[in-house]
Amino acid sequence: MDSKLQIDHKMKSALSYENDGMLLHALQIYISLTEEYPEFNDAYIKLAQLYEKLGNLKSAIKTFNALFENNSDDGENRVYYAQFLLKNSLWDEAINSLNFVDPSKVPMAAFFIGYSHFMLNEFELSKLNFLNFISIEENSELAHQAYIYISKIELKLYNFETALEYAKKAEVLYANFWELNYLYAEIYLNLEMYTHASKAIEKAINLNPEESNIYQLAGKIYLKLEHYKKSEKNFLKFIELNENVSSEVYSKLAETCFKSGKFLEAQAYYEIALKINPSNEHAIWGKKNAEEFINKNLVSGV
């Protein structure tokens, strides 16, 4: 039997074992294929996938590295490997692997490197790679996703006007994407364009009412607009949807209640905020202020 027929036969056997749940039998065949036919890339890929399925990430990574020992410039499989690494939050490893790939030949490499740097909070490097991707794939759908990431980067770097410019570039395809509207709302909030922010956050809520972070941002926006009932409603919705709520959220909810004249509720929420973070200065000051108003009302008989 020639090598091609033998490879085909073994691959079919291995796949059959996998489908029947006999994973260790399949594993043995894939290992033997990589040993007998080190140039046969598919065996490495299937072996790595199977190791991942078995929860053995270390062996999966080792298998990919063995593949690249024989094919260091295999851009397509390096991008596939990068997806595996990104799925497992191995950002540095993804960057190191993709550095072997020429983005002009495999543009996705630049996108994934940009994403990895973004997840590592390395924003300038992230932006450079996303811009590189856009320069190559300007008209692709992913280019518009890259615009969203660059907008997020500019927002994190406090470049709010620039963040708005990049968000608008993504609007061509993502006008009805909840995350873009959430991004608009956050940008407009920082630009003190509160009416624009409220319109954007309402659209985000309509597009994805299950996303809890939307309600936290809505609470902040309506607090700035002095729409205290809406602010309170949205903060409470956020709290309802989350088990772990920060001291800041309870502090903002308390502020909303205080400004709408609900001093007892404000005091209670400030106390919760301080239980979570006793050094929350906003809550310390707010609780004291709420208590003073409560005592004044008691003295005056209100």
Side-chain angles (χ1 to χ4, degrees), residues 152-301:
K152 289 180 179 181
I153 289 166
E154 297 295 357
L155 180 60
K156 288 178 180 294
L157 296 174
Y158 304 103
N159 300 324
F160 305 125
E161 294 285 356
T162 309
L164 183 59
E165 289 174 16
Y166 278 106
K168 287 180 177 178
K169 289 177 183 288
E171 193 171 355
V172 177
L173 289 183
Y174 290 101
N176 291 318
F177 181 42
W178 77 268
E179 193 171 7
L180 178 59
N181 287 280
Y182 178 93
L183 187 57
Y184 271 132
E186 195 169 6
I187 293 167
Y188 284 131
L189 175 61
N190 281 284
L191 288 171
E192 300 182 0
M193 299 171 69
Y194 303 131
T195 301
H196 283 72
S198 68
K199 290 178 181 177
I201 204 66
E202 285 296 338
K203 188 171 181 180
I205 291 171
N206 289 332
L207 290 167
N208 189 7
E210 302 303 316
E211 175 54 52
S212 65
N213 286 329
I214 297 176
Y215 299 103
Q216 180 183 359
L217 184 58
K220 292 178 181 179
I221 291 166
Y222 287 120
L223 180 56
K224 289 291 186 182
L225 283 167
E226 300 180 0
H227 296 171
Y228 301 126
K229 285 185 179 180
K230 282 187 175 183
S231 178
E232 180 183 356
K233 177 184 174 183
N234 279 282
F235 280 129
L236 288 172
K237 182 68 174 177
F238 174 78
I239 291 167
E240 176 191 327
L241 293 172
N242 287 275
E243 290 184 11
N244 298 314
V245 178
S246 70
S247 176
E248 182 202 1
V249 171
Y250 279 109
S251 187
K252 286 290 184 184
L253 174 57
E255 182 183 345
T256 296
C257 290
F258 180 85
K259 288 184 174 178
S260 61
K262 298 180 177 180
F263 304 125
L264 287 172
E265 288 94 332
Q267 181 188 34
Y269 288 130
Y270 279 129
E271 286 175 354
I272 295 172
L274 288 168
K275 282 182 182 178
I276 298 169
N277 177 15
S279 61
N280 182 335
E281 291 184 5
H282 181 264
I284 293 169
W285 179 87
K287 182 188 174 190
K288 183 180 177 182
N289 211 25
E291 288 172 346
E292 287 178 0
F293 270 84
I294 292 167
N295 291 333
K296 282 180 183 178
N297 289 340
L298 287 173
V299 170
S300 62

Side-chain angles (χ1 to χ4, degrees), residues 110-111 113-114 117 124-134:
F111 187 93
I113 292 174
H117 282 301
E124 294 294 349
L125 287 170
S126 178
K127 181 180 175 181
L128 282 173
N129 280 279
F130 279 128
L131 288 172
N132 187 22
F133 175 78
I134 292 166

Side-chain angles (χ1 to χ4, degrees), residues 32 41 57 108 142 177 225 243:
S32 70
N41 293 352
L57 296 183
M108 278 301 298
L142 271 178
F177 181 42
L225 283 167
E243 290 184 11

